[in-house]
Structure formats: structure tokens, C-alpha cells
Amino acid sequence: MKPTPTPAPPLAPAANKAHAPAAIRTEGLRKIYPRAQGDLVAVDGLDLTVHQGEFFGLLGTNGAGKSTTIGMLTTLVAPSAGKAWVAEREVSADPVGVRSRIGVVSQANTLDRALTVADNLAFRGRYFGMPAPAARRRALELLEQFGLADKAGAKAHQLSGGQTRRVMIGRALMHLPEVLFLDEPSAGVDPQARDDLWQIIASLHETGQTVVLTTHYLDEAEALCQRLAVIDHGHLLACDTPEAIKASSGAQTVITVHYDADATPAADALHSIPGGPHDVAVDGPTVRVRTAHPDSVLGHLLRIGSAAGLTVRDATTTPPSLQTAFLTLTGRDYTP
């Protein structure tokens, strides 16, 4: 059985955060990309606060605005409006100060293929002013910590996808950053490498490291993050703990039944049941119902379908989750 990371610990009481400066704060952060066919609003008025030592996640589908947000917070993308502070430095006013206090792991492989693994880390330490012997020691310590000591002399192009991600995380930690940004760190890696990354990232947070993670994996967000900002089409839909988002969104159990023909008769009959659910959607032979009473509704769907001459091909029940919360918040399924 593959290892599963220990769920992120609960947040400390708010009172304990009151006098600590925020690791990240944004006010009305906005990014617009001009286009001939109409401007693209990638991020629209984002207000966020990330506490020191917090594991914070930006959750959304591809194109939601997560990577653009990370780009603005890490000085790579210039905001169109609004302000952001990272490690108590205003991003637009002091980009150099921000960059010296953050570590960034991008989606793309940015390792120098001509260098050894150890040199990729050591050179990053030198860039941030570390003496050569100290940079070398730090590099080897991090490789040992991440289970890559035997790869110290290998060239970057000789690594697997999961090993590459681990080296990139190690490189980002060389100068002991106050905030570590991870942009889709497990995208494109195999399941075992993904589990290994989860364990490494979770262990980093246990040491007090502030971590900001962007992901489109719901299970990754729920397993690792103490709080989540759910972003869709550049808008902030919710920001709270995973459990609170599920509760406050009114997320219910979703029942999906696939019949062998048009499901409209079954959906119409379901609406007519006294006191029955009214949140019903039909898409050809598929009917989807959100309900707080899944057992009775599923029974009704089976009986109604049979009475209408429909045969059930498949039926699934999805309990309240981030998936159903997203469906409730946006009115559509979560499709990474």
C-alpha cells in the first residue's frame, strides 16, 4: 500500500496569529492580458492573507488563475492593479527583497542539464551569497534529506520526473526562504513519485516552513493544505479550511445515474415527489441530483426509471467533498 501523508494539522487559534505579520497579503490583486479579441482577466480583485507557518493552497482547474497569481506574488508577472506583500515586502516596490526571501518551484523543469545535481543546488546557494564550502554542505544535506544523496554526481537529465521535482524543491530551499511556492509540483509525475512528493512537502511544513501550493488535484489539496482558496476564472470563490469550505458551500451528496435512454422522464418524475429534491440536472441519458438524503433519492431514481421503461447502466454516489463543493460553488463539475 502506498504511503499517505498525515493530514495537515489544524490552524492555530486566530488569536495566536493576531500579532504575527502575514507571510502573504494581497489587496485587490488583478491581472489583465490585452488581446485583440477582448481583454483576458486572469485574476480579478484577489484579497488573500496567508499566515506565517501555514500550508496554504490555491485550488482550481487549468486556466483558473492560479499560476498567474503565483507569478505576481513571486515578481515574475506585473500586476495590472492592486497590491501584494510577501515576507513583509511590497512586491512591486521591492522585487529584489521579495526574491531574496522566497523559494519557487515552477511547473517546468528549470534545472541546468549541463550541471550535476549537487552543483545545481550549490550554484543556487552561491547566487544568494553563500560561501562555496557552505553552499556545497547545504546542497549535500538537502539531497540526503530528500533521498537523493546517491544522485549528487548525476547530471540533471539523468533523473526521473519525480527525482527532478525533489531536486527542484531542494534547490528552492538552499537559501532558507521564508515562503516556499510550489506551482503544480506533482503534475506529470507517476503515482508513486507523487506520494513521495507529498511526504516531502508535508515534512517541510512540519518544520514550520510557510508553503503556498497551487494544484488542480482535489485529493492533494485536501490532504496537505490547512486552508484553501478556491479560484475559478480569476475569481476567488471561497477561502477557508477544506472542511469549512465543504460545510459553508452547502455541498451535498451527488447521485449520478446513467440510463440507456433520455433521462428527462425520470428527472421530471423525481421533481413531482412531495418534499423531494429539486436540484436535478439532465444531460441526455444522465441525471444528476444533489441531495441530503442520498439513499431515498437513489431508490426513487431506480423505481422511477423502471416505471418509465429505462434501464440503469450505472449509478454512483459522491459524498460531500471538495468535488461536490466545487460543483455547488460553480454549478459545474470539477474537471482538471
Side-chain angles (χ1 to χ4, degrees):
M1 182 179 295
K2 295 186 176 77
T4 301
T6 302
L11 287 171
N16 293 343
K17 303 286 186 183
H19 303 294
I24 295 171
R25 182 166 60 91
T26 71
E27 293 180 356
L29 199 61
R30 183 175 171 87
K31 181 60 184 179
I32 301 174
Y33 292 103
R35 300 187 304 177
Q37 63 271 39
D39 292 348
L40 172 65
V41 181
V43 177
D44 195 6
L46 189 64
D47 295 321
L48 284 178
T49 298
V50 178
H51 304 299
Q52 289 184 359
E54 186 174 17
F55 201 128
F56 191 89
L58 297 177
L59 175 66
T61 58
N62 287 329
K66 307 183 305 297
S67 292
T68 300
T69 299
I70 291 290
M72 288 189 285
L73 295 176
T74 58
T75 78
L76 298 177
V77 176
S80 302
K83 290 186 176 183
W85 293 262
V86 177
E88 301 183 75
R89 299 295 191 277
E90 206 276 298
V91 174
S92 296
D94 186 12
V96 174
V98 170
R99 286 194 291 269
S100 68
R101 290 164 174 80
I102 63 174
V104 182
V105 178
S106 64
Q107 295 181 42
N109 179 357
T110 57
L111 296 178
D112 190 323
R113 294 169 59 88
L115 298 178
T116 66
V117 169
D119 283 345
N120 264 278
L121 272 65
F123 281 21
R124 177 60 59 89
R126 296 286 288 149
Y127 176 81
F128 282 100
M130 298 177 66
R136 186 72 180 179
R137 285 195 302 271
R138 172 84 174 144
L140 296 178
E141 288 169 359
L142 286 166
L143 292 177
E144 179 71 32
Q145 179 182 343
F146 292 167
L148 293 167
D150 60 332
K151 299 295 183 180
K155 292 295 180 67
H157 70 270
Q158 297 174 311
L159 302 176
S160 67
Q163 290 170 339
T164 296
R165 293 292 187 187
R166 281 185 277 164
V167 172
M168 289 174 65
I169 293 173
R171 185 181 62 177
L173 293 169
M174 277 294 297
H175 61 298
L176 301 172
E178 295 180 37
V179 183
L180 176 65
F181 290 92
L182 303 174
D183 192 9
E184 305 280 3
S186 60
V189 301
D190 63 73
Q192 182 58 60
R194 186 167 173 244
D195 286 336
D196 293 341
L197 283 171
W198 281 19
Q199 295 289 347
I200 287 171
I201 296 168
S203 66
L204 287 174
H205 177 247
E206 289 172 1
T207 68
Q209 177 71 59
T210 302
V211 180
V212 177
L213 169 79
T214 72
T215 182
H216 58 252
Y217 294 122
L218 293 166
D219 56 343
E220 185 166 74
E222 192 157 11
L224 294 174
C225 298
Q226 293 172 295
R227 283 196 306 143
L228 290 170
V230 180
I231 299 176
D232 188 48
H233 293 105
H235 295 279
L236 178 65
L237 302 184
C239 184
D240 213 322
T241 66
E243 290 302 319
I245 288 175
K246 287 185 285 185
S248 64
S249 69
Q252 297 177 314
T253 295
V254 176
I255 296 174
T256 304
V257 176
H258 302 281
Y259 296 105
D260 62 343
D262 181 43
T264 301
D268 291 344
L270 191 63
H271 277 304
S272 67
I273 296 172
H278 301 287
D279 194 354
V280 182
V282 178
D283 182 12
T286 302
V287 60
R288 182 181 292 108
V289 183
R290 283 187 286 170
T291 178
H293 308 287
D295 292 339
S296 64
V297 170
L298 181 57
H300 283 307
L301 285 170
L302 296 178
R303 288 190 295 272
I304 288 170
S306 179
L310 300 172
T311 299
V312 175
R313 296 299 191 191
D314 182 49
T316 59
T317 300
T318 306
S321 63
L322 287 178
Q323 174 84 28
T324 55
F326 188 88
L327 176 62
T328 302
L329 290 166
T330 66
R332 57 188 174 82
D333 280 329
Y334 188 92
T335 52

